[in-house]
Amino acid sequence: QITPCDQAGQVLSLSRNHVNKIDDMPFADNLDHLKAREKEALLILVLSALRHGKTDWSTNSKATDRLFSALGLSSNDFNVENIQTELHRIQQSNQARQDASLRSGIKLFFPDFCSRNNLDAFDQKILLLLFMNVTSERFRETFSLCQFEEDKKGIQIRIILSCLCSGYRDQLEKRTHFSRNAPLVSHEIIFFHHDFNKQSNSHIV
């Protein structure tokens, strides 16, 4: 017989089926979707910073505390293996929930925009980082915390590639996504630095 005292000491967890149901729930709206994608973008920054040894995550500061809170992680979780696993989980969850949203008739602007402009998976990651850089204060704070070189007009290509690619060979291959004929550039979704002043100030990316 289990006493109340014994029950109090038992460890509880969500069943795998229940977790899967949460991951398959449609997003409530575009804001809900972008909040989830923001977390994905933050994890991309953190993983890159860890791989390149850019910051000491044990340092106590308000910025690191806010980041830990936003990601639901502690400083002990901040190693390459754990962050890589969490990023993969979040990406799978976001994709599953995005698909569920589309099946439910919920129009999400970000994936719709990507689809209409024929952006592949890597293009979408590039766009995600650039979009969060101009819309999310938390992303910019984390970008600074990760000690990436900052630029008020955007993010340098080499930094984007170092965040999204695991090695130098991959970076070289993925540079084609920034060619003049690539969708992101040819559709004028992103601009090179020397072209920036020629564009309207209202262009968000």
Side-chain angles (χ1 to χ4, degrees):
Q1 183 178 0
I2 300 176
T3 67
C5 183
D6 292 332
Q7 287 178 328
Q10 289 180 331
V11 177
L12 304 178
S13 64
L14 288 172
S15 71
R16 183 174 298 275
N17 287 338
H18 189 69
V19 171
N20 289 339
K21 286 180 180 178
I22 292 174
D23 286 344
D24 289 341
M25 288 176 59
F27 290 107
D29 51 30
N30 276 281
L31 181 59
D32 189 29
H33 176 243
L34 290 176
K35 283 182 177 179
R37 297 306 301 270
E38 179 192 49
K39 187 172 183 178
E40 180 180 333
L42 293 176
L43 286 166
I44 289 172
L45 291 183
V46 170
L47 180 59
S48 179
L50 285 167
R51 282 174 171 162
H52 296 92
K54 281 188 168 292
T55 190
D56 179 8
W57 297 106
S58 64
T59 303
N60 293 322
S61 72
K62 290 182 179 179
T64 53
D65 288 344
R66 284 192 292 268
L67 178 61
F68 295 157
S69 177
L71 296 178
L73 301 172
S74 70
S75 59
N76 294 330
D77 298 315
F78 273 50
N79 59 67
V80 171
E81 185 178 357
N82 285 348
I83 296 300
Q84 201 163 23
T85 299
E86 179 65 5
L87 174 59
H88 181 66
R89 186 190 72 79
I90 289 295
Q91 287 174 329
Q92 284 191 318
S93 172
N94 286 347
Q95 186 61 55
R97 296 189 65 194
Q98 180 176 299
D99 293 342
S101 300
L102 296 176
R103 289 194 301 270
S104 301
I106 300 172
K107 185 175 181 180
L108 300 175
F109 298 138
F110 191 90
D112 181 63
F113 178 85
C114 293
S115 177
R116 284 189 286 108
N117 286 280
N118 298 315
L119 303 184
D120 66 17
F122 195 80
D123 284 332
Q124 292 181 41
K125 290 177 182 179
I126 295 170
L127 182 59
L128 176 65
L129 294 183
L130 290 170
F131 182 79
M132 290 301 165
N133 188 55
V134 292
T135 60
S136 169
E137 184 177 345
R138 183 182 288 122
F139 180 91
R140 290 191 298 274
E141 182 177 63
T142 302
F143 193 92
S144 177
L145 191 63
C146 290
Q147 298 179 20
F148 293 119
E149 188 177 340
E150 298 179 63
D151 190 315
K152 292 181 179 180
K153 293 183 178 180
I155 305 176
Q156 294 181 22
I157 290 176
R158 65 176 178 80
I159 295 177
I160 293 175
L161 290 173
S162 70
C163 286
L164 298 179
C165 301
S166 57
Y168 188 61
R169 181 186 296 274
D170 193 26
Q171 290 184 34
L172 289 176
E173 293 175 353
K174 292 298 194 297
R175 287 191 73 88
T176 58
H177 289 261
F178 298 98
S179 69
R180 290 289 182 180
N181 296 324
L184 283 170
V185 181
S186 63
H187 295 173
E188 296 188 338
I189 299 169
I190 64 175
F191 298 110
F192 295 113
H193 192 279
H194 56 269
D195 294 334
F196 184 84
N197 292 330
K198 301 176 185 178
Q199 311 305 329
S200 166
N201 290 332
S202 64
H203 193 289
I204 197 166
V205 179

